[in-house]
Coordinates of all heavy atoms in Angstrom, one line a residue:
L1 N -8.2 -14.3 -10.9 CA -8.6 -13.4 -9.8 C -8.8 -12.0 -10.3 O -7.9 -11.5 -10.9 CB -7.6 -13.5 -8.7 CG -7.8 -12.6 -7.4 CD1 -9.1 -13.1 -6.7 CD2 -6.6 -12.6 -6.5
R2 N -9.9 -11.5 -10.1 CA -10.3 -10.2 -10.6 C -9.9 -9.1 -9.5 O -10.4 -9.2 -8.4 CB -11.7 -10.1 -11.0 CG -12.1 -8.8 -11.6 CD -13.5 -8.8 -12.2 NE -13.8 -7.5 -12.6 CZ -14.8 -6.7 -12.1 NH1 -15.5 -7.2 -11.1 NH2 -15.0 -5.6 -12.6
R3 N -9.1 -8.1 -9.9 CA -8.8 -7.0 -9.0 C -9.2 -5.7 -9.6 O -8.4 -5.0 -10.2 CB -7.3 -7.0 -8.7 CG -6.9 -8.3 -7.9 CD -5.4 -8.2 -7.6 NE -5.1 -9.4 -6.9 CZ -3.8 -9.7 -6.6 NH1 -2.8 -8.9 -6.9 NH2 -3.6 -10.8 -5.9
P4 N -10.5 -5.4 -9.6 CA -11.0 -4.2 -10.3 C -10.3 -2.9 -10.0 O -10.1 -2.1 -10.8 CB -12.5 -4.2 -10.0 CG -12.6 -4.9 -8.7 CD -11.5 -6.0 -8.8
A5 N -9.9 -2.7 -8.7 CA -9.3 -1.4 -8.4 C -7.9 -1.3 -8.7 O -7.3 -0.3 -8.8 CB -9.5 -1.2 -6.8
A6 N -7.2 -2.5 -8.9 CA -5.8 -2.5 -9.1 C -5.4 -2.0 -10.5 O -4.5 -1.2 -10.7 CB -5.2 -3.9 -8.8
L7 N -6.0 -2.6 -11.5 CA -5.5 -2.3 -12.9 C -5.6 -0.9 -13.3 O -4.6 -0.4 -13.9 CB -6.3 -3.3 -13.8 CG -6.0 -4.7 -13.6 CD1 -6.8 -5.6 -14.6 CD2 -4.6 -5.1 -13.7
P8 N -6.6 -0.1 -13.1 CA -6.6 1.2 -13.6 C -5.6 2.1 -13.0 O -5.2 3.1 -13.6 CB -8.0 1.8 -13.2 CG -8.9 0.5 -13.0 CD -7.9 -0.5 -12.5
I9 N -5.1 1.8 -11.8 CA -4.1 2.7 -11.1 C -2.7 2.4 -11.5 O -1.8 3.2 -11.1 CB -4.3 2.8 -9.6 CG1 -3.9 1.5 -9.0 CG2 -5.7 3.1 -9.3 CD1 -3.8 1.5 -7.5
L10 N -2.4 1.4 -12.2 CA -1.0 1.0 -12.5 C -0.2 2.1 -13.1 O 1.0 2.2 -12.8 CB -1.0 -0.3 -13.3 CG -1.4 -1.6 -12.7 CD1 -1.4 -2.7 -13.7 CD2 -0.4 -1.9 -11.5
M11 N -0.7 2.9 -13.9 CA 0.0 3.9 -14.6 C -0.1 5.3 -14.0 O 0.5 6.2 -14.6 CB -0.4 3.9 -16.1 CG -0.2 2.6 -16.8 SD 1.5 1.9 -16.7 CE 2.4 3.1 -17.7
E12 N -0.8 5.4 -12.9 CA -1.0 6.8 -12.4 C 0.3 7.2 -11.6 O 1.0 6.3 -11.0 CB -2.2 6.8 -11.4 CG -3.5 6.6 -12.2 CD -4.7 6.6 -11.3 OE1 -4.6 7.1 -10.1 OE2 -5.8 6.2 -11.7
P13 N 0.5 8.5 -11.4 CA 1.6 9.0 -10.5 C 1.3 8.6 -9.1 O 0.1 8.4 -8.7 CB 1.5 10.5 -10.7 CG 0.6 10.8 -11.9 CD -0.2 9.6 -12.1
V14 N 2.3 8.5 -8.3 CA 2.2 8.0 -6.9 C 1.2 8.8 -6.1 O 0.4 8.3 -5.4 CB 3.6 8.0 -6.2 CG1 3.5 7.8 -4.7 CG2 4.5 6.9 -6.9
P15 N 1.3 10.2 -6.2 CA 0.3 10.9 -5.4 C -1.2 10.6 -5.7 O -2.0 10.5 -4.9 CB 0.6 12.4 -5.7 CG 2.0 12.4 -6.1 CD 2.2 11.1 -6.8
D16 N -1.4 10.3 -7.0 CA -2.8 10.0 -7.4 C -3.1 8.6 -6.9 O -4.3 8.3 -6.6 CB -2.9 10.0 -9.0 CG -2.8 11.4 -9.5 OD1 -2.9 12.4 -8.7 OD2 -2.6 11.6 -10.7
I17 N -2.2 7.7 -6.9 CA -2.5 6.3 -6.4 C -2.8 6.4 -4.9 O -3.7 5.8 -4.4 CB -1.3 5.4 -6.6 CG1 -1.1 5.1 -8.1 CG2 -1.4 4.1 -5.9 CD1 0.2 4.4 -8.5
V18 N -2.0 7.2 -4.2 CA -2.3 7.4 -2.8 C -3.7 7.9 -2.5 O -4.5 7.4 -1.7 CB -1.3 8.3 -2.1 CG1 -1.7 8.8 -0.7 CG2 0.1 7.7 -2.1
D19 N -4.1 8.9 -3.3 CA -5.5 9.4 -3.2 C -6.5 8.4 -3.5 O -7.5 8.2 -2.8 CB -5.7 10.6 -4.2 CG -5.0 11.9 -3.8 OD1 -4.6 12.0 -2.6 OD2 -4.8 12.7 -4.6
R20 N -6.3 7.6 -4.5 CA -7.3 6.5 -4.9 C -7.3 5.4 -3.8 O -8.4 5.0 -3.4 CB -6.9 5.8 -6.2 CG -6.9 6.7 -7.4 CD -8.1 6.6 -8.2 NE -8.7 5.4 -8.5 CZ -8.6 4.7 -9.6 NH1 -7.8 5.1 -10.6 NH2 -9.2 3.5 -9.8
L21 N -6.2 5.0 -3.2 CA -6.2 4.0 -2.1 C -6.9 4.6 -0.9 O -7.5 3.8 -0.2 CB -4.7 3.6 -1.8 CG -4.0 2.9 -2.9 CD1 -2.6 2.5 -2.4 CD2 -4.7 1.6 -3.4
N22 N -6.7 5.8 -0.6 CA -7.4 6.4 0.5 C -8.9 6.4 0.4 O -9.6 6.3 1.4 CB -7.0 7.9 0.7 CG -5.6 8.0 1.3 OD1 -5.1 7.1 1.9 ND2 -5.0 9.1 1.1
D23 N -9.4 6.3 -0.8 CA -10.8 6.3 -1.1 C -11.4 4.9 -1.2 O -12.7 4.8 -1.2 CB -11.2 7.1 -2.4 CG -10.9 8.6 -2.2 OD1 -10.9 9.1 -1.1 OD2 -10.7 9.3 -3.2
L24 N -10.6 3.9 -1.3 CA -11.1 2.5 -1.5 C -11.3 1.8 -0.2 O -10.7 2.2 0.8 CB -10.1 1.7 -2.3 CG -9.9 2.0 -3.8 CD1 -8.7 1.2 -4.3 CD2 -11.1 1.7 -4.6
P25 N -12.2 0.9 -0.2 CA -12.4 0.0 1.0 C -11.0 -0.7 1.2 O -10.2 -0.9 0.3 CB -13.4 -1.0 0.6 CG -14.2 -0.4 -0.5 CD -13.2 0.5 -1.2
L26 N -10.7 -1.1 2.5 CA -9.5 -1.6 2.9 C -9.0 -2.8 2.0 O -7.9 -2.8 1.5 CB -9.5 -2.0 4.3 CG -8.2 -2.6 4.9 CD1 -7.0 -1.6 4.7 CD2 -8.4 -3.0 6.3
A27 N -9.9 -3.8 1.8 CA -9.5 -5.0 1.1 C -9.1 -4.6 -0.4 O -8.2 -5.2 -0.9 CB -10.6 -6.0 1.1
E28 N -9.9 -3.7 -1.0 CA -9.5 -3.3 -2.4 C -8.2 -2.5 -2.4 O -7.5 -2.6 -3.3 CB -10.7 -2.5 -2.9 CG -11.9 -3.3 -3.3 CD -13.0 -2.4 -3.9 OE1 -12.7 -1.5 -4.7 OE2 -14.2 -2.7 -3.6
A29 N -8.0 -1.6 -1.4 CA -6.8 -0.9 -1.3 C -5.6 -1.8 -1.2 O -4.6 -1.6 -1.9 CB -6.8 0.1 -0.2
A30 N -5.7 -2.8 -0.4 CA -4.6 -3.8 -0.2 C -4.4 -4.6 -1.5 O -3.2 -4.8 -1.9 CB -4.9 -4.7 1.0
A31 N -5.4 -5.0 -2.2 CA -5.3 -5.7 -3.4 C -4.7 -4.8 -4.5 O -3.8 -5.3 -5.3 CB -6.7 -6.2 -3.9
A32 N -5.1 -3.6 -4.5 CA -4.5 -2.7 -5.5 C -3.0 -2.5 -5.3 O -2.2 -2.5 -6.2 CB -5.2 -1.3 -5.5
L33 N -2.6 -2.3 -4.0 CA -1.2 -2.1 -3.7 C -0.4 -3.3 -4.0 O 0.7 -3.2 -4.6 CB -1.1 -1.7 -2.2 CG 0.4 -1.4 -1.8 CD1 0.8 0.0 -2.4 CD2 0.5 -1.4 -0.3
A34 N -1.0 -4.5 -3.7 CA -0.3 -5.8 -4.0 C -0.1 -6.0 -5.5 O 0.9 -6.7 -5.9 CB -1.0 -6.9 -3.4
A35 N -1.0 -5.4 -6.3 CA -0.9 -5.6 -7.8 C 0.2 -4.7 -8.4 O 0.6 -4.9 -9.5 CB -2.2 -5.4 -8.4
L36 N 0.6 -3.7 -7.7 CA 1.6 -2.8 -8.2 C 3.0 -3.5 -8.3 O 3.3 -4.3 -7.4 CB 1.7 -1.5 -7.4 CG 0.6 -0.6 -7.3 CD1 0.8 0.5 -6.3 CD2 0.3 0.0 -8.7
P37 N 3.8 -3.1 -9.2 CA 5.2 -3.5 -9.2 C 5.8 -3.1 -7.8 O 5.5 -2.1 -7.3 CB 5.9 -2.8 -10.3 CG 4.8 -2.4 -11.2 CD 3.6 -2.2 -10.3
Q38 N 6.6 -4.0 -7.2 CA 7.1 -3.7 -5.9 C 7.8 -2.4 -5.7 O 7.5 -1.7 -4.7 CB 8.0 -4.9 -5.4 CG 7.2 -6.1 -5.1 CD 8.1 -7.2 -4.5 OE1 9.3 -7.1 -4.2 NE2 7.5 -8.4 -4.3
P39 N 8.6 -1.9 -6.6 CA 9.2 -0.6 -6.4 C 8.2 0.5 -6.3 O 8.3 1.5 -5.5 CB 10.2 -0.4 -7.6 CG 10.5 -1.8 -8.1 CD 9.2 -2.6 -7.8
H40 N 7.2 0.4 -7.1 CA 6.1 1.4 -7.1 C 5.3 1.3 -5.8 O 4.9 2.3 -5.2 CB 5.2 1.1 -8.3 CG 4.5 2.3 -8.9 ND1 5.2 3.4 -9.3 CD2 3.2 2.6 -9.1 CE1 4.4 4.3 -9.7 NE2 3.2 3.9 -9.6
A41 N 5.0 0.1 -5.3 CA 4.3 -0.1 -4.1 C 5.0 0.4 -2.9 O 4.5 1.0 -2.0 CB 4.0 -1.6 -3.9
V42 N 6.4 0.3 -2.9 CA 7.2 0.9 -1.9 C 7.0 2.4 -1.9 O 6.9 3.0 -0.8 CB 8.7 0.5 -2.1 CG1 9.6 1.3 -1.2 CG2 8.8 -1.0 -1.8
E43 N 7.1 3.0 -3.1 CA 6.9 4.4 -3.2 C 5.6 4.9 -2.6 O 5.5 5.9 -1.9 CB 7.0 4.9 -4.6 CG 8.4 4.9 -5.2 CD 8.3 5.5 -6.6 OE1 8.0 6.7 -6.8 OE2 8.6 4.7 -7.6
V44 N 4.5 4.1 -2.8 CA 3.2 4.5 -2.3 C 3.2 4.4 -0.8 O 2.7 5.3 -0.1 CB 2.1 3.6 -3.0 CG1 0.8 3.8 -2.3 CG2 2.0 3.9 -4.5
L45 N 3.7 3.3 -0.3 CA 3.7 3.1 1.2 C 4.6 4.1 1.9 O 4.3 4.5 3.0 CB 4.2 1.7 1.6 CG 3.2 0.6 1.5 CD1 3.9 -0.7 1.8 CD2 2.1 0.8 2.6
D46 N 5.5 4.6 1.2 CA 6.5 5.7 1.8 C 5.8 7.0 1.9 O 6.4 7.9 2.5 CB 7.7 5.8 0.9 CG 9.0 5.3 1.6 OD1 9.0 5.3 2.8 OD2 9.9 4.9 0.9
Q47 N 4.6 7.2 1.3 CA 3.9 8.5 1.4 C 3.2 8.7 2.7 O 2.3 7.9 3.0 CB 3.0 8.6 0.2 CG 3.6 8.5 -1.2 CD 4.7 9.4 -1.4 OE1 4.6 10.6 -1.3 NE2 5.9 8.9 -1.8
A48 N 3.5 9.8 3.4 CA 2.7 10.1 4.6 C 1.3 10.4 4.4 O 0.4 10.2 5.3 CB 3.4 11.3 5.3
A49 N 0.9 10.7 3.1 CA -0.5 11.0 2.8 C -1.3 9.8 2.7 O -2.6 9.9 2.7 CB -0.6 11.8 1.5
L50 N -0.7 8.6 2.7 CA -1.5 7.3 2.7 C -2.1 7.1 4.1 O -1.4 6.8 5.1 CB -0.6 6.2 2.4 CG -1.3 4.8 2.2 CD1 -2.3 4.8 1.1 CD2 -0.2 3.7 2.0
E51 N -3.4 7.4 4.2 CA -4.0 7.5 5.5 C -4.1 6.2 6.3 O -4.1 6.1 7.5 CB -5.4 8.1 5.3 CG -5.4 9.5 4.8 CD -6.7 10.0 4.3 OE1 -7.7 9.2 4.4 OE2 -6.8 11.1 3.9
R52 N -4.3 5.1 5.6 CA -4.4 3.8 6.2 C -3.3 2.8 6.0 O -3.4 1.6 5.9 CB -5.7 3.1 5.8 CG -7.0 3.9 6.3 CD -8.2 3.3 5.7 NE -8.2 3.4 4.2 CZ -8.8 2.6 3.4 NH1 -9.5 1.7 3.8 NH2 -8.6 2.8 2.1
G53 N -2.1 3.4 5.9 CA -0.9 2.6 5.6 C -0.7 1.4 6.5 O -0.5 0.3 6.1
P54 N -0.9 1.6 7.9 CA -0.7 0.5 8.8 C -1.8 -0.6 8.5 O -1.5 -1.8 8.5 CB -0.9 1.1 10.2 CG -0.5 2.5 10.0 CD -1.0 2.9 8.6
D55 N -3.0 -0.2 8.3 CA -4.1 -1.2 8.0 C -3.9 -1.9 6.7 O -4.1 -3.1 6.6 CB -5.5 -0.5 8.0 CG -5.8 0.2 9.3 OD1 -5.5 -0.4 10.3 OD2 -6.5 1.2 9.3
I56 N -3.4 -1.2 5.7 CA -3.1 -1.9 4.4 C -2.0 -2.8 4.6 O -2.0 -4.0 4.1 CB -2.8 -0.8 3.3 CG1 -4.1 0.0 3.0 CG2 -2.3 -1.4 2.1 CD1 -3.9 1.2 2.1
L57 N -1.0 -2.4 5.3 CA 0.2 -3.3 5.6 C -0.3 -4.6 6.2 O 0.2 -5.7 5.8 CB 1.2 -2.5 6.4 CG 2.6 -3.1 6.6 CD1 3.3 -3.2 5.2 CD2 3.4 -2.3 7.6
V58 N -1.1 -4.5 7.2 CA -1.6 -5.7 7.9 C -2.4 -6.6 7.0 O -2.4 -7.8 7.1 CB -2.4 -5.3 9.2 CG1 -3.1 -6.5 9.8 CG2 -1.5 -4.7 10.2
A59 N -3.2 -6.0 6.1 CA -4.0 -6.7 5.2 C -3.2 -7.5 4.1 O -3.8 -8.4 3.4 CB -5.0 -5.8 4.5
L60 N -2.0 -7.1 3.9 CA -1.2 -7.7 2.8 C -0.6 -9.1 3.3 O -0.5 -9.3 4.5 CB 0.0 -6.9 2.5 CG -0.2 -5.5 1.8 CD1 1.1 -4.7 1.7 CD2 -0.9 -5.7 0.5
D61 N -0.3 -9.9 2.4 CA 0.5 -11.2 2.7 C 1.7 -10.8 3.5 O 2.4 -9.8 3.1 CB 0.8 -11.8 1.4 CG 1.8 -13.0 1.6 OD1 1.4 -14.1 2.0 OD2 3.0 -12.7 1.3
R62 N 2.1 -11.5 4.5 CA 3.2 -11.1 5.4 C 4.5 -11.0 4.6 O 5.3 -10.2 4.9 CB 3.3 -12.1 6.6 CG 2.2 -11.9 7.6 CD 2.4 -12.7 8.8 NE 1.3 -12.6 9.7 CZ 1.3 -12.7 11.0 NH1 2.4 -13.1 11.5 NH2 0.2 -12.5 11.7
T63 N 4.7 -12.0 3.7 CA 6.0 -11.9 3.0 C 6.1 -10.7 2.1 O 7.1 -10.0 2.1 CB 6.1 -13.2 2.1 OG1 6.0 -14.3 2.9 CG2 7.4 -13.2 1.3
L64 N 5.0 -10.3 1.5 CA 4.9 -9.1 0.6 C 5.1 -7.9 1.5 O 5.9 -7.0 1.2 CB 3.6 -9.0 -0.2 CG 3.5 -7.7 -1.0 CD1 4.6 -7.5 -1.9 CD2 2.1 -7.7 -1.6
A65 N 4.4 -7.8 2.7 CA 4.5 -6.7 3.6 C 6.0 -6.5 4.0 O 6.5 -5.4 4.1 CB 3.6 -6.9 4.8
A66 N 6.6 -7.6 4.4 CA 8.0 -7.6 4.8 C 9.0 -7.1 3.7 O 9.9 -6.3 3.9 CB 8.5 -8.9 5.3
T67 N 8.7 -7.5 2.5 CA 9.5 -7.1 1.3 C 9.3 -5.6 1.1 O 10.3 -4.9 0.9 CB 9.1 -7.9 0.1 OG1 9.4 -9.3 0.3 CG2 9.9 -7.4 -1.1
L68 N 8.1 -5.1 1.2 CA 7.8 -3.7 1.0 C 8.5 -2.9 2.1 O 9.1 -1.8 1.8 CB 6.3 -3.4 0.8 CG 5.6 -4.1 -0.3 CD1 4.1 -3.8 -0.3 CD2 6.2 -3.7 -1.7
L69 N 8.3 -3.3 3.3 CA 8.9 -2.6 4.4 C 10.4 -2.5 4.3 O 11.0 -1.4 4.6 CB 8.6 -3.3 5.7 CG 7.2 -3.0 6.3 CD1 6.9 -4.0 7.4 CD2 7.1 -1.6 6.8
A70 N 11.1 -3.5 3.8 CA 12.5 -3.5 3.6 C 13.0 -2.5 2.6 O 14.1 -2.0 2.7 CB 13.0 -4.9 3.2
G71 N 12.1 -2.2 1.6 CA 12.4 -1.2 0.6 C 12.1 0.2 1.0 O 12.5 1.1 0.3
M72 N 11.4 0.4 2.0 CA 11.0 1.8 2.4 C 12.0 2.5 3.2 O 13.0 1.9 3.7 CB 9.7 1.7 3.3 CG 8.5 1.1 2.6 SD 7.1 0.8 3.7 CE 6.9 2.5 4.4
S73 N 11.8 3.8 3.3 CA 12.7 4.6 4.2 C 12.6 4.1 5.6 O 11.5 3.7 6.0 CB 12.4 6.1 4.1 OG 11.1 6.4 4.7
A74 N 13.7 4.1 6.3 CA 13.6 3.5 7.7 C 12.6 4.3 8.6 O 11.9 3.6 9.4 CB 15.0 3.6 8.3
D75 N 12.6 5.6 8.5 CA 11.7 6.4 9.3 C 10.2 6.0 9.1 O 9.4 5.9 10.0 CB 11.9 7.9 9.2 CG 13.2 8.3 9.8 OD1 13.8 7.6 10.6 OD2 13.7 9.4 9.4
R76 N 9.9 6.0 7.8 CA 8.5 5.7 7.4 C 8.1 4.2 7.8 O 7.0 4.0 8.3 CB 8.2 5.9 5.9 CG 6.8 5.6 5.4 CD 5.8 6.5 6.0 NE 4.5 6.2 5.4 CZ 3.3 6.4 5.9 NH1 3.2 7.0 7.0 NH2 2.2 6.0 5.3
A77 N 9.0 3.3 7.6 CA 8.7 1.9 8.0 C 8.5 1.8 9.5 O 7.6 1.1 9.9 CB 9.9 1.0 7.5
A78 N 9.3 2.5 10.3 CA 9.2 2.5 11.7 C 7.9 3.1 12.1 O 7.2 2.6 13.0 CB 10.4 3.3 12.4
D79 N 7.5 4.2 11.4 CA 6.2 4.8 11.7 C 5.0 3.8 11.5 O 4.1 3.7 12.3 CB 5.9 6.1 10.9 CG 6.8 7.2 11.3 OD1 7.4 7.2 12.4 OD2 6.9 8.2 10.5
L80 N 5.1 3.2 10.3 CA 4.0 2.2 10.0 C 4.0 1.0 11.0 O 2.9 0.7 11.5 CB 4.2 1.7 8.6 CG 3.9 2.6 7.4 CD1 4.1 1.9 6.1 CD2 2.4 3.1 7.5
L81 N 5.1 0.5 11.3 CA 5.2 -0.6 12.2 C 4.7 -0.2 13.6 O 4.1 -1.0 14.3 CB 6.6 -1.2 12.3 CG 7.0 -2.1 11.1 CD1 8.4 -2.5 11.2 CD2 6.0 -3.3 10.9
G82 N 5.1 1.0 14.0 CA 4.7 1.5 15.3 C 3.2 1.7 15.4 O 2.6 1.4 16.5
A83 N 2.6 2.0 14.3 CA 1.1 2.2 14.3 C 0.4 0.9 14.3 O -0.8 0.7 14.7 CB 0.7 3.1 13.1
V84 N 1.1 -0.2 13.8 CA 0.4 -1.5 13.7 C 0.3 -2.1 15.1 O -0.6 -2.7 15.4 CB 1.3 -2.4 12.7 CG1 0.8 -3.9 12.9 CG2 1.1 -2.0 11.3
G85 N 1.4 -2.0 15.9 CA 1.4 -2.6 17.2 C 1.8 -4.0 17.1 O 2.2 -4.5 16.1
P86 N 1.9 -4.7 18.3 CA 2.4 -6.0 18.4 C 1.4 -7.0 17.7 O 0.2 -6.8 17.6 CB 2.5 -6.3 19.9 CG 1.5 -5.3 20.5 CD 1.5 -4.1 19.6
A87 N 2.0 -8.1 17.2 CA 1.2 -9.1 16.5 C 0.5 -9.9 17.6 O 1.0 -10.1 18.7 CB 2.1 -10.1 15.7
D88 N -0.7 -10.5 17.2 CA -1.5 -11.3 18.2 C -0.9 -12.7 18.3 O -0.4 -13.2 17.4 CB -2.9 -11.4 17.7 CG -3.6 -10.0 17.8 OD1 -3.2 -9.2 18.7 OD2 -4.5 -9.8 17.1

């Protein structure tokens, strides 16, 4: 599986990754986040500057999304989940 957006950002600092994810189409942003090591992905999702955090979260595999949410700060996880709304 080719994830062109994911590989170049693996070594970038978190603020730079957030900027890149904000500029990518949603599917590519989700794939790039999913390709990061989980602790790094948690750091990225924890950033308020991540503009589409709720949308990216929904685009992820549910198991991965739950794992990342569990590692996040409680306040930021609550903010993301509140923005997602109820499941269909």
Side-chain angles (χ1 to χ4, degrees):
L1 177 65
R2 185 171 175 245
R3 294 183 180 171
L7 296 178
I9 70 170
L10 287 175
M11 300 305 291
E12 293 182 15
V14 169
D16 292 345
I17 294 172
V18 169
D19 289 341
R20 297 263 317 259
L21 294 182
N22 285 340
D23 292 338
L24 289 174
L26 179 59
E28 288 184 37
L33 186 72
L36 293 173
Q38 286 185 5
H40 210 58
V42 167
E43 285 184 66
V44 171
L45 276 176
D46 248 336
Q47 303 301 306
L50 185 63
E51 296 167 359
R52 293 174 299 153
D55 296 328
I56 292 171
L57 192 63
V58 169
L60 295 173
D61 169 79
R62 287 185 184 208
T63 301
L64 176 58
T67 299
L68 297 178
L69 281 167
M72 295 173 60
S73 67
D75 288 344
R76 178 67 176 156
D79 289 345
L80 287 178
L81 286 175
V84 168
D88 293 332

